[in-house]
Amino acid sequence: STRRELTGTLAVVGLAAAATLPFARDLASGLVNGVGYAAGTTHEIAGPAGYISYPKDWLEGIFEARPLLADGLGLPLRQLSLGFFLAPLAVVAWIARARRGDRPGVHAALAIWGAVTLFLAFSQRLNVYYAAPLAALTLIETVRAVEGRIPGRALAVGLGIALALPMGPGLAAELRAVYAPGSDLFATLDRMRAELPHAVDSYDPGLLGPPPFPRALAQASSVLAPWSLGHLILYEAELPVVANNFGYGFLDSIRFFLSDSEEEALAIARRHRVRWVVATDLAPRMNDYASYLGKAPYLAATPGGSSPTPAYFATMQSRLYDFGGKGARLPGLSIAPLSKFRLLFHSQTAIRRGDRWIPRWSVFEISGE
């Protein structure tokens, strides 16, 4: 560089530093939190208009946000083929080509993209979409590398096909699969929209808070349901919800369903102006939710499968969902009925729980004082 070019460059760097250094702490914090989110970790940070970061432990309960290898090698083999596991070698090859001057811009960009994609894909399953092109390029690179070392192109191509074969069943299953809630859930939500009063527009921005809420919304009533039903209830039933799929209300939702007293649950409900509660089966997630709140597991592993502990039957989840708020007498255990929760209606489909059938979806109303 000439002296003039060097002086101009240093001037630009100095101006950039002057503009950014006052915000260095916030920028560094944002970078660390962003990388942490990509790696599947987060902690709740609330701002005046909502979340800046998702609540703690929320990502752990989402299938797509779990690490790629959390359940072994089966998922990446079905979705990305064996070629994906050779991708680190492809990244090394691209780095080597860039260093020896073989189209350095292209190969350096491929190496950076490949390394970042590997980090994203291994951190969260939802990033397999970004890793699919990387797996495909790795298969091509594998065929190219083998072709130069063994006689016959057919053998190299055959190796590439063999590496891709584990993806065949997964691809066929993906093309056949239909990812949609059952019609009975939509029927239940339609009934909520038709039969429950709608005191306010469910999309009124005043409902987003923070408290205190506008006086006109004082009579607004919301629905408390498992967080993963939030968007469906808002869109289909057109009712405000406490917890939704963005993580809002996540912890209060599980605190409510895991409450071991009606009074504790009512306190949470009143804080959010809840009038209706939607209950469904949470058994597959009960122990996870318990761990988020520092509680002991509610389901114990037995040779015959998971078995509920006495603590499970004390939760609002069990009292609402398993017994419809009516209470029950079990061998060595008495479950008191709920005094403030009234079953309005339930779905027409059910699941088998022991010797009883339990509706998949139940809608309750919280009665007044």
Side-chain angles (χ1 to χ4, degrees):
S1 300
T2 66
R3 179 175 296 180
R4 182 177 180 180
E5 289 171 336
L6 184 60
T7 301
T9 300
L10 291 175
V12 172
V13 171
L15 288 172
T20 56
L21 283 177
F23 310 100
R25 178 177 294 180
D26 289 340
L27 289 169
S29 175
L31 177 62
V32 170
N33 287 334
V35 172
Y37 168 77
T41 61
T42 185
H43 57 279
E44 183 175 329
I45 304 174
Y51 283 152
I52 299 173
S53 179
Y54 294 123
K56 181 181 181 294
D57 297 322
W58 184 58
L59 292 177
E60 295 182 22
I62 302 174
F63 176 84
E64 293 87 351
R66 297 183 68 200
L68 183 64
L69 303 181
D71 300 311
L73 300 179
L75 184 70
L77 286 176
R78 292 192 303 271
Q79 293 189 335
L80 296 171
S81 80
L82 271 169
F84 173 74
F85 294 98
L86 299 177
L89 298 178
V91 171
V92 171
W94 293 332
I95 293 173
R97 290 175 197 166
R99 293 189 61 182
R100 66 172 179 258
D102 179 6
R103 301 178 70 192
V106 171
H107 288 114
L110 282 172
I112 294 170
W113 166 72
V116 172
T117 300
L118 284 170
F119 165 70
L120 292 174
F122 280 112
S123 297
Q124 293 191 35
R125 293 168 175 173
L126 59 89
N127 295 318
V128 295
Y129 307 106
Y130 305 125
L134 177 60
L137 285 180
T138 300
L139 288 174
I140 295 172
E141 291 286 3
T142 302
V143 172
R144 287 179 58 188
V146 172
E147 185 181 3
R149 291 171 173 78
I150 61 175
R153 175 172 293 182
L155 187 58
V157 173
L159 174 62
I161 294 174
L163 290 172
L165 279 178
M167 193 177 179
L171 181 60
E174 189 72 20
L175 292 173
R176 289 195 305 265
V178 177
Y179 296 103
S183 59
D184 194 36
L185 173 57
F186 287 110
T188 304
L189 296 174
D190 287 343
R191 190 170 177 183
M192 291 176 66
R193 183 177 65 245
E195 298 184 16
L196 302 185
H198 292 61
V200 297
D201 179 2
S202 56
Y203 292 98
D204 191 314
L207 290 169
L208 296 178
F213 296 96
R215 182 173 298 178
L217 301 178
Q219 302 304 315
S221 299
S222 59
V223 178
L224 202 158
W227 64 270
S228 55
L229 287 175
H231 284 349
L232 278 171
I233 293 173
L234 178 64
Y235 185 74
E236 295 291 338
E238 297 181 353
L239 290 164
V241 292
V242 172
N244 67 22
N245 304 60
F246 290 143
Y248 286 91
F250 164 72
L251 288 174
D252 272 354
S253 172
I254 62 175
R255 286 189 187 107
F256 173 88
F257 287 106
L258 269 57
S259 297
D260 54 13
S261 74
E262 185 174 4
E263 292 71 24
E264 179 185 354
L266 284 171
I268 296 171
R270 287 167 182 150
R271 188 164 65 247
H272 291 282
R273 297 167 299 157
V274 172
R275 183 175 175 184
W276 302 286
V277 176
V278 177
T280 189
D281 185 24
L282 297 182
R285 302 305 318 283
M286 286 295 287
N287 285 354
D288 293 329
Y289 290 162
S291 69
Y292 302 162
L293 301 182
K295 297 188 176 185
Y298 288 104
L299 303 176
T302 67
S306 296
S307 177
T309 65
Y312 168 77
F313 293 109
T315 64
M316 288 296 293
Q317 167 62 21
S318 176
R319 297 170 72 182
L320 284 170
Y321 184 65
D322 294 332
F323 304 105
K326 297 178 180 179
R329 287 191 176 276
L330 303 177
L333 186 65
S334 177
I335 301 169
L338 297 172
S339 61
K340 299 294 184 180
F341 293 82
R342 179 174 67 92
L343 178 64
L344 292 180
F345 51 83
H346 57 70
S347 64
Q348 298 303 304
T349 59
I351 65 169
R352 188 78 173 179
R353 182 67 57 82
D355 59 351
R356 299 180 300 118
W357 288 97
I358 301 174
R360 289 186 182 274
W361 323 98
S362 294
V363 180
F364 297 85
E365 181 179 24
I366 300 179
S367 61
E369 297 297 338

